[in-house]
């Protein structure tokens, strides 16, 4: 397992951690200011959200690299199925657009939160099958753009509306069913911390299939399952054991801090948040 | 798979479905009135909560049977670990008291919600180990009383505070680790609906290990993970597939409806709620 206690160059910031990707939250720093603040603190990479990028993908990618960091990923594909998904042709069009943006940004990874159970189907299996069909159509375009699509299994609490993909096991199976090298998976502490089969499942994934590792913590008495994530060390997740499982499966990429926290971290000064992230990354992750 | 379309004698009511187990919720019917209403509608059994029973365990058990129904179970042991658990000796004392109450009531099953991650431990594994130690101490007393303790794995969203036991897989493993015949498991739709490994895991449990099956539904856009459960058919769970998995593993006992619904079903007339339960049980479960 890598030792981060004296080297945090593997640390990446997902900009959601500063809350500026939702209106009315966070300090409202510009992307340029966030880049500068992260570079000054020795972060190794950035992960952006589409809504922040607009038409400036090439510019923001270049700016990040000019500051000495990489762009580790882009969030994210549209919902592919479920109550929040649009019709199939609109979904495919937006999926292609998200792949194009990742390519322009120079992001090797595009995260996918696949959407919930298809209304009226009462079936996760059927919903996952549809997800697989849609991604199979888009995977060749992703490959041509040099982008890998990272399936992110979400905590089962989101199974109904945001993601019918809720376990690492199912994500690996879905990757296998699609059978395209552009397909990969991302592991997020918030979504997998409870899964004692994690290490065994990740070994099954095989080297090179994991392209993202997201850090935060699960607060014991969480107030909101969307916007009350904890800073690493403040919750109940066994962060070392989870990283051991991820690295044991061959992952040696960035560790991306992604903390949605409307009532706590998003209300603090971004400089303090970034300093805390660095300190916790070196000590408890 | 059993056919309930013309025979609902396998239907049991968990009294939580009428909301009268929480102050300020529900219509406030007495236990006697609930028994009468369920018997009149052909329910086969009742499941009670300790707080409703007080010192009347023998009386309520007898009253239920006199009405032509069985007492299928009692909710539940105290939290054994986690932020809401008391000290070890208090937990053991209350655990024994809950076993005694089940015996007096004539309930063959006592459900256990084990409690969350031990504060400061950052470890589900360690917390589950402690749970196993506590239950191993109590299991002989349960056996002597003719009561089986049903481990109920809860949805992972409760992993931090209410239950470090979050999958059927872990429940079976915990049963095996305790290694006492009084230990069993209960399957609740709300907690397992997302788990595509359910059928395979339940087969591993072996005949006789499953002693409870709880019905409700998971609403696609749930507003509250504690008190916004859906009526069967109103959500996204694949109820037939789940029951097929449970019965495929040898379960042929009662199907217990347990719906916590502060803003919907608890506000309706209990008679309407019971009628709806019967109708949905015969058509969509």
């Amino acid at each position: 397992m890598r030792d981060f206690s004296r080297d945090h160059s593997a640390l990446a910031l997902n900009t959601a951690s500063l809350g500026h990707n939702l209106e009315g939250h966070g300090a409202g720093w510009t992307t340029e200011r966030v880049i500068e603040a992260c570079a000054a603190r020795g972060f190794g990479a950035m992960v952006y959200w589409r809504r922040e990028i607009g038409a400036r993908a090439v510019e923001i990618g270049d700016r990040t690299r000019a500051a000495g960091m990489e762009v580790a990923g882009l969030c994210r594909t549209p919902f592919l199925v479920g109550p929040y998904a649009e019709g199939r042709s609109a979904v495919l069009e937006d999926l292609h657009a998200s792949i194009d943006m990742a390519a322009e940004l120079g992001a090797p990874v595009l995260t996918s939160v696949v959407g919930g159970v298809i209304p009226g189907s009462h079936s996760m299996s059927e919903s996952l099958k549809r997800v697989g069909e849609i991604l199979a159509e888009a995977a060749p375009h992703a490959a041509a753009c040099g982008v890998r699509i990272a399936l992110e299994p979400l905590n089962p609490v989101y199974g109904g509306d945001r993601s019918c993909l809720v376990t690492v096991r199912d994500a690996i199976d879905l990757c296998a069913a699609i059978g395209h090298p552009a397909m990969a998976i991302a592991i997020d502490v918030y979504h997998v911390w409870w899964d004692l089969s994690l290490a065994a499942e990740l070994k099954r994934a095989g080297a090179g299939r994991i392209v993202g590792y997201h850090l935060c913590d699960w607060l014991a008495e969480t107030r909101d399952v969307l916007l009350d994530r904890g800073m690493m060390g403040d919750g109940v997740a066994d962060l070392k054991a989870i990283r051991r499982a991820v690295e044991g499966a061959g992952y040696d990429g960035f560790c991306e801090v992604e903390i949605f926290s409307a009532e706590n971290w998003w209300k603090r000064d971004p400089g303090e948040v970034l300093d805390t992230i660095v300190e916790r990354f070196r000590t408890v992750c």
Side-chain angles (χ1 to χ4, degrees), chain A residues 4-212:
Chain A
F4 296 144
S5 65
R6 264 165 279 162
D7 174 8
H8 63 274
S9 58
L11 177 60
L13 181 80
N14 183 305
T15 55
S17 301
L18 300 184
H20 68 145
N21 63 313
L22 287 182
E23 275 184 37
H25 295 291
W29 281 14
T30 62
T31 299
E32 286 72 10
R33 191 166 172 195
V34 175
I35 291 172
E36 193 180 325
C38 287
R41 287 168 175 81
F43 281 69
M46 303 290 301
V47 175
Y48 297 107
W49 287 68
R50 285 175 74 192
R51 68 192 90 171
E52 303 158 4
I53 301 296
R56 302 198 299 142
V58 173
E59 179 191 338
I60 290 174
D62 287 346
R63 175 73 69 116
T64 308
R65 286 179 287 275
M69 299 186 294
E70 295 181 33
V71 179
L74 176 66
C75 301
R76 60 196 188 193
T77 70
F79 290 119
L80 309 177
V81 294
Y84 308 144
E86 300 192 78
R88 184 150 175 159
S89 63
V91 163
L92 273 169
E93 189 177 326
D94 199 27
L95 180 51
H96 273 246
S98 65
I99 293 167
D100 291 338
M101 183 185 280
E104 288 165 21
L105 197 58
V109 173
L110 171 67
T111 303
S112 182
V113 169
V114 302
V117 173
I118 296 170
S121 73
H122 303 277
S123 173
M124 296 199 98
S125 304
E126 188 184 317
S127 306
L128 285 171
K129 189 159 168 274
R130 181 86 58 88
V131 166
E133 290 164 5
I134 293 169
L135 289 171
E137 274 191 60
H141 181 60
C145 291
V147 172
R148 295 187 77 185
I149 299 174
L151 293 169
E152 182 169 356
L154 258 52
N155 195 297
V157 73
Y158 302 119
D161 56 351
R162 303 175 77 83
S163 177
C164 58
L165 185 71
V166 296
T167 66
V168 171
R169 182 192 59 239
D170 294 345
I172 294 167
D173 289 347
L174 185 53
C175 264
I178 298 172
H180 193 287
M183 297 305 307
I185 63 173
I187 304 300
D188 187 311
V189 164
Y190 197 77
H191 302 309
V192 307
W193 75 273
W194 54 271
D195 186 352
L196 295 180
S197 75
L198 183 66
E201 288 296 334
L202 287 177
K203 286 224 167 87
R204 192 165 70 83
R209 194 62 98 176
I210 308 167
V211 297

Side-chain angles (χ1 to χ4, degrees), chain A residues 221-233:
Chain A
E221 298 176 67
T222 190
R223 289 168 297 183
D224 181 302
V225 292
L226 199 58
L227 301 179
D228 188 31
R229 295 190 179 195
M231 178 64 68
M232 299 82 74

Side-chain angles (χ1 to χ4, degrees), chain A residues 213-255:
Chain A
Y213 177 52
H214 306 172
L215 282 167
C216 68
D217 211 333
W218 180 277
L219 298 176
E221 298 176 67
T222 190
R223 289 168 297 183
D224 181 302
V225 292
L226 199 58
L227 301 179
D228 188 31
R229 295 190 179 195
M231 178 64 68
M232 299 82 74
D234 289 346
V236 294
D238 192 341
L239 295 173
K240 299 271 190 195
I242 297 171
R243 184 157 71 87
R244 194 176 302 118
V246 171
E247 296 192 0
Y251 184 74
D252 61 1
F254 289 106
C255 302

